Amino acid sequence: MRRIVCVIMSCLLLASCREADVVLKVTDQVINSDYIGNGAEWDPYDEAIVWEADLSDEDWNELFARVDRMRPGYVRCMINSPYLYWDASSRSYEKTRNVQKISRLLQYCNDREITVVYGEFNPPEPDMKDSQKWVEMSVNYLDYLVNGLGFDCIKHFVIFNEPDGDWATTDGDYELWKSMALRFDAEMERYPGLKEKVSLAAPDAVVHWVHPETGMNASDWMRRTSEELDEIVGVYDVHAYPGQTEVRDGSYARKLQALKALVPEGKRILLGEAGFKYENPEDSLMLAENLRRADEHPYAGGIDSNMMVYDHFYGLDMALLAMDVMNAGYSGMAVWMLDDAAHSVGDTGRKDSIKVWGFWNILGEEAFGRPSEEEIRPWYWAWSLMCRYFPKGCDINAVELTGSGELRACAAESDGRHTVAVVNWSSEDVQISMQVPYTFLNASVYVYEESGAYRDAEGGLVPSYTGICGDAVSVNVPAQSLTVITDMQ
C-alpha cells in the first residue's frame, strides 16, 4: 500500500509541474566518505560569572532541547583558561575551578556521541605563549576532562586559536607555534592512553588572512604543517569568514578546494570556524548596514558582530558554504557561533561589547534585559536541516547541475537513506528535474523560506509535503530558499 501511495504522490507531483529549468543528477560517486558532521562552536559560557547571570537549569534544558532538534555531528569547544583553571589573582593552577558549565556541555556531547574539537584560545597570560608551565597545565587539564571526567567525545585538541593572526599571542610566528605543537604532543605522551583518544587539530589558520609582516597565508601554514608535523596532526583545520559575493559566485569554493589539496592522503580537514564577514569591496553595502545595526544595538560589539544573523538570507548563505565544504571533501563544519552569551569582544567581560553571531542569546533577559534576544533566529532552522540530514557518518555523493538558475546542491547517503539539498538564492522559483541512483521511499520535502512555514509552534521542523518516491522526480525550489528532499528520519 505504501508503494502505491508513493507512486500516486510522485505522479501527481510530476503532473502538476512545468518543464524543468534545471536537471540535477546525483551520481553514485562518493566524493567524501564517513562525514564527521556539521555543527557549531559552543563554548562554555566562561563570562557568565562576571555578568552575575549564570545559566539556570531552565536555560540548560532549553539549550539542550534546541540543540537536540539541530542534531549536530560536530562541536568546537574552546576555553579561556583565566575563567577556568587559571586563577590570575594567585597565578596558580586550579583544575576544578569553575568546571561545572564545561562539564555540563561536554556531558551533553558525550551522551549524543557528538565529536568535539576542544582547545584553548590563548595561554593564560600573553607572556606564557612559550612557557612549559602552560604546556603542563593545559595538558593536565585536557587529561582531567578526558580521562578524569570521562569526556571521550573530545577527539582533537587546538593549542592556539588562529595562530597565524596578529591578534593571537603567537602573532603569526610559525616557528614558535611549531615548537609549541611538538612540546604539547610530547607532554600528552606522558599521560597513559591520552594520545590514543586525542590528537592535535592544526594549524587552525584563517583562509583569507595574510600576515602583514611574515607574508604567510593559510596555504603556507597548511603546507608547512603537512610537511613538518603530519606525524602528530590528527586532523587538519582552517577557519573561513568569506563575503557573500565570493561564496555565491563560486570563487570561495575554489579556495577551499586548493587548501584541501594540501592535506596528506589519509588525513581529514575540518572547517573549524565559519561565518560571514563583508570586508570585500563588492560587499561594501552589507558591511555598512552591518555596522549601522551594530552601532544601534545596545550590546553588540561593533565590527566583531554579524547583525545579519537576524535575517532569513543568512541561513541560505550558511547552507551554501556548507555545500561547498562537503563537495570539496572537507569532513565537517562548525558555524561561529551557537550563542551570543559565549563571548564579549576580547573576552573582557564587558556587557556592552558582545559578539553577536549566534542562533540566540540564552542570557538575553538575565544579563542584558532583552528577553527577545533569547528567541530563535531564522538561520537556526536552515542550519538544523544541514545538520540533521547530513549526519555523522554519511557519505557525500557528487552532483551535476545542468541549466539556468542561481543555485547549488549537494547530496548524502546514510544507512540506505538519502538527502538532496538545493539552495536557490535567486528571486525566481526554479523547477528541477532530479535524477538519483537510488529510490526514494516516502521522502519528505522541507523548505526553508521567508514565510517560516517550515517550523511549528514548538520549534520543530515541519515538511512542506511528504510521499516522494522513485528515482526521478520534479521539485519546485522556491526563490530565496533552501529545499531539502530526504527520506532520513
Side-chain angles (χ1 to χ4, degrees), residues 88-344:
S89 60
S90 62
R91 303 193 80 248
S92 61
Y93 172 60
E94 300 176 14
K95 72 179 179 183
T96 62
R97 181 173 176 260
N98 297 333
V99 76
Q100 294 81 8
K101 287 193 292 295
I102 191 169
S103 293
R104 202 156 184 177
L105 191 163
L106 291 174
Q107 188 61 57
Y108 174 90
C109 294
N110 245 26
D111 293 343
R112 272 70 171 181
E113 297 183 348
I114 297 170
T115 296
V116 174
V117 175
Y118 158 84
E120 300 203 37
F121 283 106
N122 279 301
E125 297 176 3
D127 62 1
M128 297 177 76
K129 63 185 179 182
D130 58 355
S131 164
Q132 185 62 23
K133 180 178 180 180
W134 175 45
V135 173
E136 293 171 2
M137 290 188 299
S138 180
V139 175
N140 183 268
Y141 192 69
L142 172 65
D143 183 73
Y144 170 59
L145 294 176
V146 175
N147 289 323
L149 298 179
F151 296 132
D152 293 329
C153 55
I154 298 175
K155 303 298 184 185
H156 304 289
F157 180 36
V158 176
I159 62 170
F160 285 95
N161 180 68
E162 300 174 351
D164 58 325
D166 58 5
W167 53 89
T169 52
T170 52
D171 190 13
D173 186 338
Y174 173 83
E175 291 297 339
L176 168 63
W177 173 81
K178 174 185 172 182
S179 69
M180 291 299 283
L182 291 168
R183 287 161 67 182
F184 268 92
D185 180 74
E187 185 67 17
M188 289 169 66
E189 191 75 58
R190 295 181 58 244
Y191 288 83
L194 183 59
K195 282 190 64 176
E196 283 69 44
K197 294 180 178 180
V198 182
S199 60
L200 293 182
D204 216 53
V206 183
V207 174
H208 73 278
W209 173 253
V210 180
H211 196 283
E213 294 186 10
T214 69
M216 288 183 67
N217 60 21
S219 294
D220 298 322
W221 278 75
M222 280 289 297
R223 185 177 297 105
R224 292 195 62 180
T225 302
S226 65
E227 292 173 353
E228 301 169 17
L229 294 175
D230 184 59
E231 186 174 285
I232 67 170
V233 174
V235 69
Y236 289 82
D237 79 306
V238 291
H239 295 185
Y241 288 89
Q244 183 187 72
T245 302
E246 62 183 336
V247 170
R248 293 189 175 190
D249 69 16
S251 59
Y252 206 77
R254 293 189 288 274
K255 293 181 182 180
L256 294 175
Q257 291 162 4
L259 285 170
K260 172 64 171 66
L262 299 174
V263 177
E265 186 175 354
K267 291 291 180 72
R268 302 189 190 205
I269 182 171
L270 300 169
L271 201 55
E273 269 184 34
F276 278 76
K277 292 188 175 181
Y278 310 107
E279 298 170 338
N280 298 328
E282 58 268 28
D283 295 321
S284 59
L285 293 179
M286 294 187 71
L287 176 62
E289 175 62 13
N290 188 61
L291 292 173
R292 183 193 68 79
R293 293 187 190 185
D295 187 57
E296 292 180 354
H297 197 282
Y299 66 70
I303 192 67
D304 207 351
S305 290
N306 190 326
M307 308 307 292
M308 307 305 175
V309 295
Y310 297 92
D311 290 59
H312 165 79
F313 76 82
Y314 196 74
L316 299 181
D317 286 342
M318 273 300 188
L320 274 174
L321 184 57
M323 290 178 179
D324 287 345
V325 165
M326 291 187 283
N327 288 335
Y330 286 59
S331 292
M333 170 177 161
V335 297
W336 178 280
M337 176 77 196
L338 187 92
D339 197 330
D340 293 355
H343 294 284
S344 62

Side-chain angles (χ1 to χ4, degrees), residues 408-436:
R408 200 160 300 150
C410 61
E413 183 274 331
S414 178
D415 296 327
R417 299 285 183 165
H418 304 88
T419 295
V420 180
V422 184
V423 169
N424 173 15
W425 67 90
S426 75
S427 58
E428 302 291 335
D429 291 5
V430 175
Q431 196 68 29
I432 290 181
S433 175
M434 191 167 63
Q435 303 168 7
V436 296

Side-chain angles (χ1 to χ4, degrees), residues 359-374:
F359 298 117
W360 53 72
N361 184 330
I362 202 65
L363 295 177
E365 181 175 10
E366 298 94 324
F368 305 97
R370 291 172 66 91
S372 63
E373 298 291 350
E374 298 189 18

